[in-house]
Amino acid sequence: MCGINGIYGKLSNQREVIARMNGALAHRGPNAEGIFIRTEIALGHRRLSIIDLSDEANQPMSDYTGRYTLIYNGELYNYRDLRGPLSPYPFRTQSDTEVLLAGLIKYGVNFLKDCHGMFAFAFWDEQEHHLLLGRDRMGIKPLYYARKGSNLIFSSEIRAIIESGLIPAQLNGSTLPEYLRYQTVHGSNTIIEGIYSLPAGTCMDITDSDELLHTWWHPTRNYNHEVALMSLSDTKDLIKLRFEQAVKRRLVADVPFGAFLSGGIDSSAVVGVASKFVSKPLRTFTVTFHESQYSEAIHAAEVARIFGTSHTEIKLSPSELLKDLPAALSAMDHPGGDGINTYIVSKAAKDAGITMVLSGLGGDELFAGYPIFTQVSELQNKQWLLSFPKFSRALMGWAAKINRPGVASEKTASVLEQDYFDTEYAFQFSREVMSEKSIRQMLQNPGRANQVFNLVHEAVGYGNPGFALPLLSRVSVAEMSTYLQSVLLRDADQMGMANALEIRVPFLDHELVETVLGVPDLLKYPHTPKKLLTDSLAELLPESIIHRPKMGFTFPWDGWMRNEMRHWCGDHMLALSRRSPFHAAAVQRRWDRFLKNDPSVSWSRIWYLCVLENWLSQNGVNT
């Protein structure tokens, strides 16, 4: 796990620039730094040593001929299995890096299809002057790029590209409405103008004369069709096998490791399976609070006792959070409404001597753990509502908002006004934190914020290949290509790496994902929480964990923001209101409505605005 930087194209001060970029990624790789310079390429690397801790495994890594050079951020969990067929390549290390290097030399992009892991890399062929950039199937590891004249600049982080001095720190006004609507920016765009994200499961081929972006893996093209023909018993057996394989693969490390444990189904499943494959008690970590309605301490402690882990509780108060808040906010490479919780628990794990942890991230997306899964299913049984004129459905929505004021009713009203109830039409509202109407009031030039609709339509909409997926699997793909990649995985990467901690996610093992996406809705429908998963692991998880109310991993922000953090939040809302894209009065009205307990303006609809202002100010972004 590391940080990578690069500049393709001739640049007079390329060593100076790549050194600055490396410096911006020092937190990602405290163990070693490397730079590779040739006429048309500059590559930089910061290393966090996980596999083969020797200096020989440092990067950039060149092959024995000197023709090929690789920089790589990630882990190949099956690198030992891949190594044998690459003979007679003369390996000099025991690292997964050299396996990836040898594989790309021999097979090119096709080698990636055999790789189990998370990765982003740059592979340089000096003879052909050919650069290949690549990213893993699920988008677990980031890779950003920008263009400056004939140069291509790329990095693991946006801030390193800004630090190059080649790309100005200018707010992307076209993506600001999307940030306001969803507390993030999706797809290939970012909050900074001219900086883009390489999509998950894609590679970019760059030569002096051409640049080609192609997809080498996508869930709608690679799911397991044969699962639909299997019995329920065989399906559960296969899911159990795939999950256990996924966890076991991710235990490969030459450093101390542990796991995040909330006491919910997903993290408990990971910890339970991992405990079967380790020789001593697994280290586990959870964040707890004095506010009992937010604390999962009792459930995490129960799971820790059942599986005999060495458990650590991180007790957090408002004063302790405020002490760590500046560092946590500084860790954000892209602003967003979440992630502080991941920073806190990552810091505690690192302070305890841990360098790698397992996480239950992805379980909800894969096994229908969110309300949107049942909501979309129910909408399919209410297609008759579409026979009513749109104004009649708008009246129904208005009545719902009057009778039950709040965010849920507003979203219901928005769905009722759609032309169709297909996945992309309903899903676009599920993660919405600000309505388009409010955005128009908030911004001087509001534009449109429909990227979620576009991404979901292209993946699983009518007429596209993914439409053949079962309905619940379509919702899974929608979640994976939006919220999971652009919020949860981004947060896990930037907050884990801010503490030089690698976070591994077994639920996003591609063989497990491909299997579960092929399961029919009849077997997957969550009559009880994540029923297919819990039934597949029936002997592992206690009933008390399976059937306890879902809490989610969040802090007691509402009370803290009205009390201990009130001045901090108020100051940031005021500063944001003074920026040119915003209508000052609208920003202040939103803050006032929160303080007056307006049910349609919850803490999450304020917090991400404070984070945005902090990030813009801290990174000197011109608005």
Side-chain angles (χ1 to χ4, degrees), residues 375-450:
Q375 291 165 1
V376 169
S377 296
E378 290 166 2
L379 276 172
Q380 300 309 299
N381 299 321
K382 296 179 180 178
Q383 295 285 344
W384 54 268
L385 283 171
L386 294 174
S387 64
F388 287 88
K390 188 176 286 189
F391 76 86
S392 297
R393 287 182 273 127
L395 284 175
M396 296 178 197
W398 176 81
K401 289 191 288 186
I402 293 297
N403 292 327
R404 298 189 310 275
V407 173
S409 296
E410 288 189 356
K411 292 183 178 181
T412 297
S414 297
V415 172
L416 287 172
E417 293 179 22
Q418 297 302 298
D419 293 327
Y420 305 98
F421 287 164
D422 291 346
T423 305
E424 62 266 47
Y425 290 90
F427 184 83
Q428 64 179 316
F429 301 105
S430 68
R431 298 291 178 183
E432 186 180 75
V433 291
M434 187 183 293
S435 68
E436 290 209 52
K437 178 182 177 181
S438 296
I439 293 171
R440 288 194 295 272
Q441 296 170 349
M442 187 80 72
L443 294 179
Q444 304 277 358
N445 298 296
R448 298 285 291 173
N450 257 347

Side-chain angles (χ1 to χ4, degrees), residues 227-499:
V227 180
L229 305 177
M230 296 170 60
S231 67
L232 174 59
S233 176
D234 288 345
T235 300
K236 291 190 296 184
D237 287 345
L238 180 58
I239 288 172
K240 179 182 179 182
L241 172 66
R242 290 282 184 255
F243 183 63
E244 289 184 343
Q245 288 174 333
V247 174
K248 188 175 182 179
R249 285 188 186 111
R250 283 156 182 79
L251 295 175
V252 176
D254 295 328
V255 293
F257 58 83
F260 294 154
L261 176 61
S262 69
I265 291 172
D266 301 333
S267 64
S268 299
V270 170
V271 167
V273 171
S275 296
K276 294 164 52 175
F277 297 119
V278 295
S279 57
K280 58 183 180 181
L282 186 70
R283 298 288 303 276
T284 54
F285 302 86
T286 189
V287 175
T288 67
F289 310 101
H290 297 295
E291 296 87 346
S292 58
Q293 68 270 35
Y294 293 96
S295 182
E296 298 182 287
I298 187 172
H299 307 292
E302 179 186 1
V303 175
R305 178 185 56 77
I306 291 171
F307 297 117
T309 74
S310 175
H311 190 54
T312 299
E313 290 186 3
I314 307 121
K315 291 188 164 89
L316 193 64
S317 67
S319 60
E320 291 164 332
L321 173 65
L322 284 171
K323 181 182 67 176
D324 287 334
L325 188 60
L329 291 171
S330 295
M332 285 191 175
D333 184 51
H334 192 288
D338 210 341
I340 304 297
N341 44 7
T342 306
Y343 179 89
I344 298 297
V345 71
S346 296
K347 182 177 182 296
K350 189 65 178 183
D351 289 346
I354 300 297
T355 304
M356 182 276 282
V357 293
L358 304 179
S359 166
L361 201 65
D364 283 318
E365 289 77 8
L366 198 54
F367 288 96
Y370 295 129
I372 186 63
F373 286 89
T374 54
Q375 291 165 1
V376 169
S377 296
E378 290 166 2
L379 276 172
Q380 300 309 299
N381 299 321
K382 296 179 180 178
Q383 295 285 344
W384 54 268
L385 283 171
L386 294 174
S387 64
F388 287 88
K390 188 176 286 189
F391 76 86
S392 297
R393 287 182 273 127
L395 284 175
M396 296 178 197
W398 176 81
K401 289 191 288 186
I402 293 297
N403 292 327
R404 298 189 310 275
V407 173
S409 296
E410 288 189 356
K411 292 183 178 181
T412 297
S414 297
V415 172
L416 287 172
E417 293 179 22
Q418 297 302 298
D419 293 327
Y420 305 98
F421 287 164
D422 291 346
T423 305
E424 62 266 47
Y425 290 90
F427 184 83
Q428 64 179 316
F429 301 105
S430 68
R431 298 291 178 183
E432 186 180 75
V433 291
M434 187 183 293
S435 68
E436 290 209 52
K437 178 182 177 181
S438 296
I439 293 171
R440 288 194 295 272
Q441 296 170 349
M442 187 80 72
L443 294 179
Q444 304 277 358
N445 298 296
R448 298 285 291 173
N450 257 347
Q451 184 64 359
V452 165
F453 179 92
N454 295 335
L455 286 170
V456 176
H457 176 72
E458 290 169 7
V460 296
Y462 182 77
N464 291 299
F467 191 75
L469 280 164
L471 178 61
L472 293 179
S473 294
R474 275 181 261 158
V475 180
S476 285
V477 172
E479 285 283 3
M480 289 174 182
S481 24
T482 57
Y483 181 67
L484 179 67
Q485 289 183 8
S486 300
V487 176
L488 298 181
L489 289 176
R490 180 182 279 162
D491 287 344
D493 174 79
Q494 60 192 14
M495 295 307 185
M497 294 310 298
N499 291 285

Side-chain angles (χ1 to χ4, degrees), residues 183-260:
Q183 69 175 335
T184 191
V185 177
H186 298 92
S188 59
N189 290 314
T190 72
I191 200 73
I192 297 296
E193 189 173 307
I195 299 182
Y196 302 93
S197 172
L198 188 69
T202 65
C203 283
M204 182 185 288
D205 276 293
I206 306 122
T207 62
D208 293 336
S209 59
D210 200 10
E211 181 178 300
L212 177 65
L213 185 70
H214 58 94
T215 301
W216 65 273
W217 187 92
H218 193 277
T220 61
R221 303 176 197 171
N222 294 89
Y223 71 95
N224 188 339
H225 296 73
E226 297 177 1
V227 180
L229 305 177
M230 296 170 60
S231 67
L232 174 59
S233 176
D234 288 345
T235 300
K236 291 190 296 184
D237 287 345
L238 180 58
I239 288 172
K240 179 182 179 182
L241 172 66
R242 290 282 184 255
F243 183 63
E244 289 184 343
Q245 288 174 333
V247 174
K248 188 175 182 179
R249 285 188 186 111
R250 283 156 182 79
L251 295 175
V252 176
D254 295 328
V255 293
F257 58 83
F260 294 154

